């Protein structure tokens, strides 16, 4: 897919924790409009709407052209009246998808690396299976199981295909906001899930549309991305619960901010003797949820 495909790996970083069972994926803002700036009124002009659609479609490529960036990730998951927040920060290579990140989940720190589409996580002491400090999951194999045919499609939200899944009627300009000290334009996007790769399966999990918000700088680069997801529990879980109760749902809001384009990224594999391969368990979990 060339640069376009690589650029759309931008959001794939968020899936890493989800596959290891620490966080669920999405990308975006925590309900604010930036760093305190007030948004301007949305434009209803057809011409402006068309321009906004083109800006969103090209944002992934324009961001990837910077090669690397620092990333800040915030994920909030809610289910059955309880919520959990995970935070992460690190750096990502927007060209090949490699990344290094430190996650904080329920007060515990997890060191994370993605190298050649393989996820590595160093779990808190005493929590890693197999008596080794690191676990790994082959994201390419998980992507192949999902039927996407592309390792960069391993994100359940299929963010790699957003640019193809939106039209002029799906994009609304919401105004301007300051994000991490940078002036941006805020766009709200409604993504037709059926138009995404493996859309039929994804539609069963998250519904017909996926709301996405992006904040683009004056060079068209992504500075913030948000996805709000409502994920239905797997059928196996439903069958084990009270049949009279409503289906269990998990809502996920994730924030991914991009700063310091051109920063250095050094993502190395941990020593093989310190790693337990959890790819098989991840594939089993994927089968149960499909």
């Amino acid at each position: 897919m060339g640069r376009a495909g690589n650029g759309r790996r931008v959001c794939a970083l968020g899936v890493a924790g989800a596959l290891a069972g620490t966080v669920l994926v999405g990308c975006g803002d925590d309900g604010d409009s930036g760093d305190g700036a007030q948004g301007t009124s949305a434009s209803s002009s057809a011409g402006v709407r068309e321009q906004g659609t083109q800006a969103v479609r090209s944002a992934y490529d324009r961001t990837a052209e910077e090669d690397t960036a620092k990333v800040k990730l915030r994920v909030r998951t809610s289910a059955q009246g309880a919520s959990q927040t995970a935070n992460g920060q690190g750096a990502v290579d927007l060209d090949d998808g490699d990344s290094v990140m430190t996650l904080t989940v329920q007060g515990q720190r997890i060191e994370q690396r993605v190298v050649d589409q393989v996820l590595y996580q160093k779990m808190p002491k005493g929590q890693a299976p197999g008596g080794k400090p690191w676990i790994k999951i082959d994201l390419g194999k998980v992507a192949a199981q999902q039927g996407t045919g592309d390792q960069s499609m391993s994100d359940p939200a299929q963010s790699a295909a957003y640019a193809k899944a939106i039209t002029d009627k799906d994009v609304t300009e919401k105004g301007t906001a300051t994000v991490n000290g940078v002036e941006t334009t805020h766009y709200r996007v409604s993504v037709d899930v059926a138009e995404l790769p493996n859309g039929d399966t994804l539609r069963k999990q998250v519904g017909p549309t996926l709301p996405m918000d992006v904040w683009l700088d004056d060079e068209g680069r992504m500075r913030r991305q948000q996805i709000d997801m409502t994920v239905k529990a797997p059928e196996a879980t439903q069958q084990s619960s009270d049949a009279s109760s409503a289906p269990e749902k998990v809502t996920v809001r994730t924030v991914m901010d991009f700063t310091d384009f051109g920063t250095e990224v050094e993502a190395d594999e941990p020593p093989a003797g310190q790693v337990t391969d959890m790819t098989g368990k991840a594939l089993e979990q994927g089968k149960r949820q499909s």
Side-chain angles (χ1 to χ4, degrees):
M1 280 192 308
R3 177 67 69 177
N6 292 334
R8 292 168 192 153
R9 285 203 186 101
V10 168
C11 194
L13 179 65
V15 76
L19 293 175
T22 54
V23 296
L24 293 175
V25 72
C27 299
D29 136 282
D30 255 347
D32 57 36
S33 61
D35 295 337
Q38 296 295 319
T40 62
S41 59
S43 172
S44 59
S45 165
V48 172
R49 186 181 297 272
E50 181 178 355
Q51 184 178 10
T53 302
Q54 182 58 39
V56 173
R57 283 178 171 169
S58 63
Y60 295 96
D61 294 344
R62 290 181 180 273
T63 306
E65 288 171 358
E66 300 296 338
D67 293 330
T68 62
K70 288 185 179 179
V71 178
K72 182 182 294 184
L73 177 70
R74 304 189 299 276
V75 182
R76 185 175 64 212
T77 63
S78 302
Q80 295 182 325
S83 63
Q84 175 178 305
T85 300
N87 297 284
Q89 59 183 359
V92 59
D93 188 316
L94 304 171
D95 184 36
D96 60 23
D98 287 1
S99 64
V100 292
M101 177 169 282
T102 299
L103 300 172
T104 302
V105 183
Q106 292 184 318
Q108 296 185 316
R109 291 167 59 89
I110 299 172
E111 184 178 345
Q112 177 174 291
R113 306 174 190 173
V114 176
V115 184
D116 295 331
Q117 292 297 308
V118 177
L119 162 72
Y120 298 91
Q121 285 190 330
K122 187 176 184 180
M123 310 302 289
K125 188 175 181 179
Q127 294 188 21
K132 300 177 181 180
W134 291 86
I135 64 171
K136 80 171 185 178
I137 296 175
D138 189 322
L139 302 181
K141 291 182 179 179
V142 174
Q145 181 193 69
Q146 293 176 349
T148 62
D150 189 321
Q151 291 184 8
S152 67
M153 299 291 191
S154 55
D155 185 333
Q158 303 294 356
S159 59
Y162 287 159
K164 296 181 179 179
I166 62 175
T167 64
D168 292 347
K169 66 181 178 62
D170 299 322
V171 178
T172 303
E173 182 178 332
K174 301 300 292 183
T176 60
T178 303
V179 176
N180 298 312
V182 177
E183 289 298 319
T184 66
T185 302
H186 174 196
Y187 297 97
R188 181 155 295 162
V189 183
S190 178
V191 180
D192 184 350
V193 174
E195 296 297 322
L196 298 173
N198 207 26
D200 290 342
T201 299
L202 186 61
R203 186 184 179 98
K204 296 177 183 178
Q205 297 172 337
V206 302
T209 60
L210 198 59
M212 177 176 71
D213 291 71
V214 296
W215 286 256
L216 309 183
D217 64 18
D218 59 5
E219 296 183 43
R221 301 172 301 186
M222 191 177 300
R223 292 293 184 155
R224 174 171 289 170
Q225 184 180 23
Q226 169 177 316
I227 297 175
D228 290 305
M229 299 177 63
T230 300
V231 185
K232 296 180 181 178
E235 290 185 6
T237 302
Q238 298 298 328
Q239 292 172 357
S240 63
S241 63
D242 184 352
S244 63
S245 63
E248 181 180 349
K249 296 181 180 180
V250 178
T251 60
V252 186
R253 167 168 286 186
T254 311
V255 180
M256 190 174 285
D257 287 355
F258 298 92
T259 62
D260 298 281
F261 292 115
T263 193
E264 185 175 358
V265 179
E266 294 184 4
D268 299 318
E269 300 178 7
Q274 298 182 17
V275 180
T276 299
D277 193 339
M278 301 291 289
T279 303
K281 290 192 175 182
L283 293 172
E284 290 176 7
Q285 181 181 5
K287 289 180 180 179
R288 290 196 298 268
Q289 293 181 353
S290 62

